[in-house]
């Protein structure tokens, strides 16, 4: 059985007060939840410490949205794996398309971040996904294969249990236009085959692959019912406690 994981990526949203408002409301919404999905909340750096405190007595897990691959040093504005660990972070998102697009996170940088996070005992949510031009050009699988191979090269099968892959087609992020369940399933199955080719079928079969891109309470259940869709990485709809709770709950149906 693969782990189901629903994660909230708040991106550059919510200060400390808004974070605590969310956590109180979300815990309330989830009071009667008896499903098995793991829930991860990834606030901005400045709210991690407060969120860690608020989540301490809850089953929900704390994640960060980025890290630097060096341990420390003259890297103004950056945050290291060790620092994330020290505030109680368990997961870190790496390779989000917004980082790749706006902040120079190339395949090479993504690979370094993945390795640093894993060697620091952080779990990784590795994001991959094609642009609209790439999908229209028929190179979706080529792009996914390149991103997966670049990010995971040099890892061993024993690293894989600490890794989650999130398939996030760029054209579906923040657009309101989600991938169809079949498009998501096809991409997830391809990612799983690619990982099987690198690390073996057993490892690939237990890899959690999340879908991300305009996941909402209205479409979550159908997307999550696909055999290779093991969770969701949610942006906009994770900013409100009630809609995020609905998405988590629909993963158990
Ligand atoms: P939206 O859910 O807002 O489309 O964002 C998806 C995403 O980028 C999550 O990482």
């Amino acid at each position: 059985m693969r782990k189901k994981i629903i994660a909230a990526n708040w991106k550059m949203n919510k200060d400390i007060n808004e974070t605590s408002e969310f956590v109180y409301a979300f815990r309330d919404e989830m009071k009667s939840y008896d499903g098995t999905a793991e829930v991860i909340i990834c606030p901005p750096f400045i709210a991690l410490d407060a969120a860690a405190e608020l989540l301490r007595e809850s089953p929900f897990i704390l994640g960060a949205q980025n890290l630097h691959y060096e341990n420390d040093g003259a890297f103004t504005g950056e945050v290291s794996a060790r620092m994330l660990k020290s505030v109680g972070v368990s997961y870190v998102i790496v390779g989000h398309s917004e980082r790749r697009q706006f902040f120079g996170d190339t395949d090479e940088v993504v690979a370094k971040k993945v390795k640093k996070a894993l060697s620091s005992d952080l779990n990784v949510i590795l994001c991959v996904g094609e642009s609209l031009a790439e999908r229209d050009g028929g190179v979706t699988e080529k792009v996914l294969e390149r991103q997966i191979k670049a990010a995971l090269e040099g890892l061993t099968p024993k690293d894989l249990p600490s890794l989650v892959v999130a398939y996030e087609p760029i054209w579906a992020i923040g657009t309101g236009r989600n991938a169809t369940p079949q498009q998501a399933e096809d991409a997830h199955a391809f990612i799983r085959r690619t990982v099987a080719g690198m690390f073996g079928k057993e490892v690939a079969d237990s890899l959690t692959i999340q879908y991300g891109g305009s996941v909402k309470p209205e479409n979550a259940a159908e997307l999550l019912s696909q055999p290779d869709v093991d969770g969701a990485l949610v942006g906009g709809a994770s900013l409100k406690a009630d809609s995020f709770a609905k998405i988590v709950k629909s993963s158990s149906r």
Side-chain angles (χ1 to χ4, degrees):
M1 263 301 275
R2 284 194 285 271
K3 234 194 277 179
K4 274 230 158 99
I5 304 179
I6 313 293
N9 174 12
W10 286 354
K11 311 190 180 185
M12 197 170 73
N13 292 290
K14 295 198 191 293
D15 61 17
I16 289 182
N17 291 333
E18 291 158 342
T19 295
S20 59
E21 270 167 33
F22 176 98
V23 174
Y24 284 121
F26 184 66
R27 286 172 57 163
D28 216 41
E29 294 277 349
M30 295 291 289
K31 246 190 227 140
S32 58
Y33 176 68
D34 59 0
T36 53
E38 231 172 59
V39 177
I40 305 171
I41 298 175
C42 306
F45 286 144
I46 57 97
L48 286 173
D49 198 24
E53 193 61 41
L54 292 158
L55 293 174
R56 200 182 301 278
E57 302 288 307
S58 82
F60 313 126
I61 299 167
L62 186 64
Q65 300 173 19
N66 184 33
L67 81 163
H68 194 276
Y69 53 76
E70 294 289 351
N71 289 330
D72 38 41
F75 300 101
T76 302
E78 293 293 321
V79 171
S80 71
R82 187 174 58 83
M83 294 169 187
L84 295 179
K85 291 284 291 180
S86 77
V87 285
V89 163
S90 315
Y91 275 84
V92 60
I93 299 172
V94 177
H96 192 282
S97 61
E98 287 150 16
R99 300 278 335 160
R100 293 178 190 258
Q101 196 180 344
F102 303 127
F103 302 102
D105 283 12
T106 59
D107 281 340
E108 195 189 343
V109 169
V110 169
K112 285 184 182 174
K113 291 184 173 186
V114 168
K115 284 185 186 68
K116 177 52 71 178
L118 292 176
S119 67
S120 309
D121 279 333
L122 285 166
N123 298 291
V124 168
I125 298 178
L126 168 70
C127 300
V128 296
E130 80 288 359
S131 67
L132 188 57
E134 289 163 341
R135 174 159 285 266
D136 289 345
V139 293
T140 295
E141 293 192 348
K142 227 184 184 154
V143 170
L144 296 178
E145 185 176 11
R146 190 202 77 227
Q147 291 175 334
I148 291 282
K149 287 196 166 158
L152 305 188
E153 205 187 70
L155 300 184
T156 67
K158 71 173 183 0
D159 291 317
L160 270 281
S162 305
L163 185 94
V164 171
V165 173
Y167 169 60
E168 296 211 318
I170 296 169
W171 47 271
I173 296 176
T175 58
R177 175 189 166 193
N178 59 284
T180 65
Q182 192 58 53
Q183 284 172 325
E185 172 57 24
D186 291 347
H188 285 221
F190 176 77
I191 290 167
R192 204 178 300 287
R193 285 200 299 279
T194 305
V195 171
M198 295 178 80
F199 301 101
K201 189 171 178 320
E202 203 179 316
V203 166
D205 279 346
S206 48
L207 175 72
T208 295
I209 307 179
Q210 299 176 307
Y211 167 78
S214 297
V215 175
K216 302 179 271 265
E218 302 79 52
N219 60 21
E222 201 187 356
L223 285 160
L224 288 162
S225 70
Q226 299 300 306
D228 284 288
V229 177
D230 313 310
L233 181 55
V234 188
S238 75
L239 295 172
K240 291 225 167 75
D242 59 343
S243 70
F244 187 55
K246 277 187 190 135
I247 291 169
V248 174
K249 287 173 189 166
S250 61
S251 71
S252 314
R253 273 195 253 135

